[in-house]
Amino acid sequence: MPCAPTAPLRSSLAIALGANLGDPAASFAAVRPLLAAELEAWAGVPLQLCWSPRFRTAPVGGPPGQPPYLNAVLLARPGAGAALDAAWPEPAALLGRLQQLETRFGRERREHWGPRRLDLDLLWCGANTCCRPELVLPHPRLEERAFVLAPLAAIDPDLLLPAAAAGLPVSATEALAALPLVPGELEPLALAGGPGWPEGP
């Protein structure tokens, strides 16, 4: 089902997916229904889920020589019959569910920004803000990461990101266009849809 126009940020949440070890495409296809089920169990209400296309992206930070990443974003909001302005449950509980899925798919936390079999990052959760060692919301580097901004812009070019510490909110498309070009770095490349992940450019 095509995604409807995006709801206000206060009633949406976003999760970034990434992987560059094993078979990332197979991992994405396998985790997709599991992530949807965990998200709805946590939310306690029916959800509308909008999945971005998958993108091939360059590694950012971490050790040199990593293979390219596969990235995507899931944007969720309360579905039909659910209150759009209702507060989301405690984000820390969702973080725990995401980390359990990562472990299930073989995620090992050996080095910062190192290669991984599955990475699930909570980008924002409605109007929730927090700053803890294990979770910062909204994600502090959201506007700096092409591998997140490109999938968000593919879902909705006009999607407004959570306001930065200074200044007005910008759209995912504007934030992506404002990123500096890195000579020789692979720009995010939208991939055609495939088995288990029909969304494409």
Side-chain angles (χ1 to χ4, degrees):
M1 174 175 75
C3 291
T6 306
L9 283 176
R10 70 178 184 276
S11 57
S12 69
L13 66 82
I15 296 170
L17 300 87
N20 71 338
L21 292 180
D23 185 341
S27 294
F28 273 35
V31 80
R32 179 170 168 146
L34 302 176
L35 179 55
E38 290 287 353
L39 192 53
E40 291 211 338
W42 165 81
V45 296
L47 298 175
Q48 180 190 24
L49 304 180
C50 298
W51 304 86
S52 78
R54 298 165 301 173
F55 281 76
R56 183 74 60 198
T57 67
V60 176
Q66 291 191 63
Y69 272 81
L70 192 65
N71 289 101
V73 166
L74 166 61
L75 190 67
R77 65 173 184 168
L84 283 178
D85 57 354
W88 292 102
E90 170 56 48
L94 177 57
L95 177 65
R97 290 174 180 265
L98 299 182
Q99 291 176 339
Q100 287 175 2
L101 281 176
E102 290 177 337
T103 300
R104 184 170 171 179
F105 278 77
R107 170 76 184 270
E108 296 180 346
R109 302 175 189 278
R110 294 183 175 178
E111 54 189 329
H112 193 47
W113 293 338
R116 61 208 65 182
R117 292 186 176 276
L118 182 65
D119 187 32
L120 300 173
D121 278 338
L122 185 56
L123 302 177
W124 70 81
C125 183
N128 285 288
T129 60
C130 69
C131 187
R132 306 173 188 168
E134 71 278 9
L135 179 64
V136 178
L137 290 176
H139 195 288
R141 290 176 294 278
L142 174 58
E143 294 183 21
E144 305 170 10
R145 300 299 195 225
F147 60 80
V148 171
L149 295 173
L152 285 171
I155 293 175
D156 181 355
D158 299 321
L159 174 68
L160 291 179
L161 303 175
L168 298 175
V170 298
S171 71
T173 302
E174 292 169 332
L176 183 61
L179 290 179
L181 295 176
V182 179
E185 183 174 291
L186 175 71
E187 293 187 15
L189 174 66
L191 304 180
W197 204 281
E199 292 79 10

